[in-house]
């Protein structure tokens, strides 16, 4: 947490030191505002964005929806970038209203921040469970043997994967499971090699096991599917 409250007013002043036409700065600032203020920060971000020559209102709304409240990029990142450009946050703290500096106000802001993070975590969990159910339905419908150009080009055998019929061709389905063997996601690989995960599906802490560690001790332990099929 900051030693001073980063109010909307403080964030607005900090943004004046940043270049909204720089895509990287624009995106990171939006992520920081969404993380700290939730959707109440959109107006501030949109108004600041409008000052750039490349401003696109539709793109601004679309990108904002992709940001997460309580995300990894916090308001401190925005303040740090503004400081690098000459912004003095200490001066803002000195001029802030007294009630914004009380322990009670700080505790309330911290509680609101954690509440946003909890809501975001629940939304992510719900979306991942929906993707998990979709993965299982697709896996159950898929077939175990079919020709696939991608495997042929990579000279890789079909280790525990399945195939999804798409017209006269097939998509390769690579299952992504956790340590308990639960299927959480699928990666579709088209014949031309295009790779897509299921929307909103979980990705971290998952892999595709192509053999058990004792199948061949000389080959070592199991490898992530990325090392075997997706990058090979």
């Amino acid at each position: 947490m900051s030693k001073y409250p980063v109010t909307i007013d403080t964030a607005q002043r900090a943004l004046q030191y940043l270049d909204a036409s720089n895509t990287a700065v624009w995106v990171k600032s939006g992520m920081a505002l969404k993380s700290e203020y939730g959707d109440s920060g959109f107006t501030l971000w949109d108004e600041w964005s409008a000052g750039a020559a490349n401003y696109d209102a539709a793109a601004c709304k679309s990108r904002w929806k992709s940001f997460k409240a309580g995300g990894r990029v916090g308001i401190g990142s925005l303040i740090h970038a503004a400081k690098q450009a000459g912004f003095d946050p200490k001066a803002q703290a000195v001029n802030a209203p007294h009630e914004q500096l009380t322990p009670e106000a700080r505790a309330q802001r911290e509680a609101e921040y954690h509440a946003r993070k909890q809501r975001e975590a629940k939304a992510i969990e719900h979306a991942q469970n929906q993707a998990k159910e979709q993965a299982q339905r697709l896996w159950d419908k898929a077939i175990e043997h079919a020709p696939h150009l991608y495997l042929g080009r990579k000279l890789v055998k079909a280790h525990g994967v399945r195939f999804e019929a798409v017209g006269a061709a097939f998509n390769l389905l690579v299952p992504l499971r956790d340590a308990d063997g639960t299927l959480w996601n699928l990666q579709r690989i088209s014949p031309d090699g295009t790779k897509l995960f299921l929307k909103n599906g979980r990705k971290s802490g998952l892999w595709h096991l192509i053999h058990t560690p004792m199948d061949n001790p000389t080959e070592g332990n199991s490898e992530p599917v990325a090392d075997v099929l997706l990058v090979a």
Side-chain angles (χ1 to χ4, degrees), residues 130-157:
Q130 287 187 317
K132 174 186 174 184
E133 293 175 1
Q134 180 188 9
Q136 191 62 59
R137 289 194 300 270
L138 292 171
W139 187 251
D140 291 342
K141 290 172 58 178
I143 61 176
E144 296 184 2
H145 303 286
H148 199 277
L149 294 176
Y150 179 82
L151 293 178
R153 288 197 305 272
K154 299 298 181 180
L155 302 178
V156 177
K157 294 181 179 180

Side-chain angles (χ1 to χ4, degrees), residues 176-184 202 204-207 209:
L176 299 179
R177 304 178 186 276
D178 61 18
D180 296 325
T182 300
L183 178 65
W184 282 92
R202 174 183 163 186
S204 62
L206 306 177
W207 58 84
L209 186 68

Side-chain angles (χ1 to χ4, degrees), residues 72-145:
R72 294 182 179 180
V73 178
I75 196 66
S77 297
L78 187 154
I79 297 300
H80 177 73
K83 284 174 64 178
Q84 297 296 104
F87 177 64
D88 183 2
K90 292 183 179 179
Q92 301 301 325
V94 170
N95 295 323
H98 176 71
E99 63 271 18
Q100 294 177 350
L101 300 174
T102 64
E104 291 78 8
R106 291 179 181 174
Q108 181 179 353
R109 289 188 67 254
E110 186 170 1
E112 292 172 351
Y113 172 78
H114 288 298
R116 285 197 301 270
K117 293 202 71 172
Q118 289 178 353
R119 290 194 297 271
E120 180 69 21
K122 288 182 179 179
I124 291 174
E125 181 181 8
H126 177 69
Q128 288 181 345
N129 282 326
Q130 287 187 317
K132 174 186 174 184
E133 293 175 1
Q134 180 188 9
Q136 191 62 59
R137 289 194 300 270
L138 292 171
W139 187 251
D140 291 342
K141 290 172 58 178
I143 61 176
E144 296 184 2
H145 303 286

Side-chain angles (χ1 to χ4, degrees), residues 2 25 44 53 58 71 93 101 114 131 148-149 151-152 159 161 167 174 186 200-201 219 222-224:
S2 301
V25 172
L44 174 58
L101 300 174
H114 288 298
H148 199 277
L149 294 176
L151 293 178
H159 297 282
V161 298
V174 181
L186 295 173
N200 297 323
E219 293 182 11
S222 61
E223 301 177 50

